[in-house]
Amino acid sequence: MARIGIFSDTHGSLRNLDAFKERLGQVDAVFHLGDIAEDAPRLARELNSGFVSVRGNCDPWSDLPTERVIPWYGHRILLLHGHTCSGRLSLYYKAKSLNCDVVCSGHTHIASSELYDGIVLLNPGSLSLPRSSKEPSCAILTVTEADIFAELLFLS
């Protein structure tokens, strides 16, 4: 089993991370979905884990890829920011075309989690700049050989 902390759109601010640490618990990895990808190593240090990140539209200086497929416990997890592929159907078809059963995307700053035709569509929202009535957020992805479970965490 693996627990993965999923973050996006931190924009250089981890000021809310301390409020999430206890609920995040021990994570095996941090996935950062861009905007500002430089925050990924800082998150990983704070959570005592490794990290994987992709470039967002506010990371023009980064040489990171815009998307990555991560094989984990027999699953394939697509990481992308979302500025090049947005909307539920676009994300679904992108994941399907890459034989992924999870797609993690950001960009909208709006947290959401949905199972759509067997594919988990997960957006952790934003730790620092949420754009909905919800509060700052991130997500936990729990992966086993048998299943994948996505959980959104909100500040309050």
Side-chain angles (χ1 to χ4, degrees):
M1 179 177 84
R3 288 174 43 85
I4 306 163
I6 313 288
F7 299 88
S8 188
D9 300 287
T10 49
H11 291 278
S13 174
L14 303 183
R15 69 181 178 274
N16 293 318
L17 182 60
D18 283 343
F20 285 96
K21 277 185 177 178
E22 187 175 321
R23 287 186 290 156
L24 283 164
Q26 179 59 47
V27 296
D28 299 294
V30 166
F31 291 173
H32 192 284
L33 308 174
D35 284 1
I36 299 289
E38 292 176 346
D39 293 339
R42 291 175 49 215
L43 281 163
R45 274 193 308 275
E46 289 286 327
L47 297 173
N48 195 31
S49 72
F51 70 93
V52 176
S53 54
V54 294
R55 176 178 39 163
N57 60 298
C58 293
D59 297 315
W61 58 88
S62 173
D63 60 355
L64 290 169
T66 56
E67 63 185 55
R68 287 184 170 173
V69 175
I70 309 296
W72 209 296
Y73 283 89
H75 300 278
R76 289 174 52 87
I77 304 167
L78 172 62
L79 307 182
L80 51 83
H81 181 61
H83 64 295
T84 59
C85 180
S86 62
R88 180 165 141 217
L89 286 177
S90 294
L91 293 168
Y92 167 79
Y93 285 119
K94 179 73 171 178
K96 195 98 167 143
S97 74
L98 295 169
N99 199 26
C100 294
D101 45 1
V102 180
V103 58
C104 299
S105 67
H107 187 58
T108 64
H109 296 226
I110 299 171
S112 63
S113 178
E114 174 182 8
L115 181 62
Y116 186 79
D117 193 28
I119 295 178
V120 175
L121 306 175
L122 177 62
N123 185 324
S126 174
L127 194 63
S128 60
L129 299 167
R131 284 191 186 144
S132 67
S133 60
K134 303 280 185 188
E135 298 198 33
S137 59
C138 61
I140 286 284
L141 191 64
T142 304
V143 183
T144 68
E145 290 180 16
D147 205 8
I148 296 172
F149 178 71
E151 179 184 5
L152 296 173
L153 301 176
F154 294 95
L155 190 59
S156 61

